[in-house]
Amino acid sequence: MTAILKSLSEYVQIAIGIALASIGLKAFLLPNGFLDGGATGIAILLSKKLDLDISLLLFIVSIPFLVLGFYKLSRNILLKSTVSILILAVLIGVESFPVITEDKLLIAIFGGMFLGAGIGISIRNGAVLDGSEILGIYVFDLFGISIGKTILAFNIMLFIVTALVLSVEVALYSILTYIVTAKFIDFFIEGFEDFIGITIISPSSEEIEQKILNELGTGITVYKAAAGYGSTGHNNERRVIQTVINRIHLRKIHKLIDSCDPDAFIVEFDVNNVKGGVLKRYLNPQSSKKLASL
């Protein structure tokens, strides 16, 4: 039953993602001739130059990318992506929106926001709405070039063609749309909470542990490790502290550590997603107080 509910939740969220992406395209970008990156951008460009139906072109342009996906994606993801792109194309064909704004800056920003939110939600639930992501995966497997670099190179070429075929202004606004879209894709894939992981190594680790628990109220994980330095390779035992906090508390945790050991070794790293554990209680002030009293 849990698996069924999880699968149902994924499809509902993908449907929401498709709806948001269609609003971004039909209510903002398409009526004003703005492009996005990827296969969607190619379809819009061809539609403007050939005066053909954007719905049909969007699916036709996506076919080569879906063929690549046949060799690189799981059958489940490929099926979800194919159906999602088809539904998106149909929605674009049947939807109708009144003119919301004629301000080009607002069109680029809000069109990118809706489109990025839709693509991000869909990707998070196992469906691809734009074929450029599939191209990125294919090139990475074939040549080892990162997915991000492939998508960036693909879109640079697309925007150069846009500047030559349409106008530099349209290309510039399309670049802005693409940047907003990319940021919102990141937001919805990685989450809006800005978390950071911290690893702390210090002779005063026990004191630091207590201060983090009592004053910051977040959980910690402690590892036993051996310190080594120089050619002699000394092996003094150390306690390694690891915790995850919201970035807004970064300055506070630095002050806590400095009050115990100004020379503590600290490593910070971005955390894209967190689930379960003490972190949920950390996000609740009342639970944090309870945690600190343990």
Side-chain angles (χ1 to χ4, degrees), residues 224-292:
K224 285 187 176 180
Y229 54 90
S231 58
T232 55
H234 293 281
N235 290 306
N236 301 320
E237 188 175 289
R238 288 283 186 269
R239 290 163 64 87
V240 179
I241 305 167
Q242 186 162 307
T243 186
V244 177
I245 63 170
N246 194 296
R247 193 179 291 274
I248 197 172
H249 291 124
L250 184 60
R251 189 176 183 83
K252 183 173 182 178
I253 198 171
H254 274 287
K255 286 183 177 180
L256 292 179
I257 297 168
D258 287 342
S259 68
C260 302
D261 179 10
D263 298 319
F265 181 70
I266 304 170
V267 179
E268 301 171 8
F269 51 92
D270 290 328
V271 176
N272 290 339
N273 192 24
V274 289
K275 183 179 180 182
V278 176
L279 189 65
K280 283 189 176 179
R281 285 182 275 169
Y282 161 67
L283 297 174
N284 183 327
Q286 295 301 318
S287 299
S288 295
K289 291 177 183 177
K290 183 179 178 182
L291 172 68

Side-chain angles (χ1 to χ4, degrees), residues 61-208:
V61 169
S62 298
I63 290 175
F65 298 104
L66 292 171
V67 171
L68 290 180
F70 179 80
Y71 298 100
K72 296 300 176 183
L73 301 178
S74 70
R75 296 295 175 264
N76 186 37
I77 293 176
L78 183 63
L79 179 61
K80 283 182 179 179
S81 301
T82 304
V83 173
S84 297
I85 291 171
L86 181 59
I87 294 173
L88 177 61
V90 171
L91 278 180
I92 292 172
V94 300
E95 283 179 333
S96 177
F97 294 95
V99 176
I100 297 174
T101 179
E102 295 181 356
D103 187 300
K104 292 182 179 180
L105 188 60
L106 291 178
I107 292 164
I109 292 173
F110 280 91
M113 285 171 58
F114 275 99
L115 186 57
I119 293 174
I121 292 171
S122 300
I123 290 176
R124 189 168 184 135
N125 290 278
V128 175
L129 292 185
D130 192 281
S132 59
E133 285 89 0
I134 301 175
L135 176 64
I137 295 169
Y138 184 83
V139 172
F140 175 76
D141 287 346
L142 207 61
F143 303 106
I145 300 172
S146 73
I147 296 172
K149 287 181 179 177
T150 299
I151 294 173
L152 179 61
F154 180 90
N155 287 318
I156 286 173
M157 289 188 287
L158 174 61
F159 293 133
I160 289 173
V161 172
T162 301
L164 295 173
V165 173
L166 298 180
S167 71
V168 174
E169 183 185 50
V170 171
L172 292 175
Y173 276 113
S174 299
I175 291 171
L176 176 59
T177 302
Y178 166 69
I179 292 171
V180 175
T181 301
K183 291 302 294 182
F184 265 73
I185 290 173
D186 290 341
F187 280 146
F188 278 87
I189 292 176
E190 299 174 3
F192 286 96
E193 287 287 355
D194 200 3
F195 293 113
I196 187 166
I198 300 181
T199 300
I200 308 158
I201 303 174
S202 167
S204 306
S205 59
E206 292 187 13
E207 185 182 357
I208 294 171

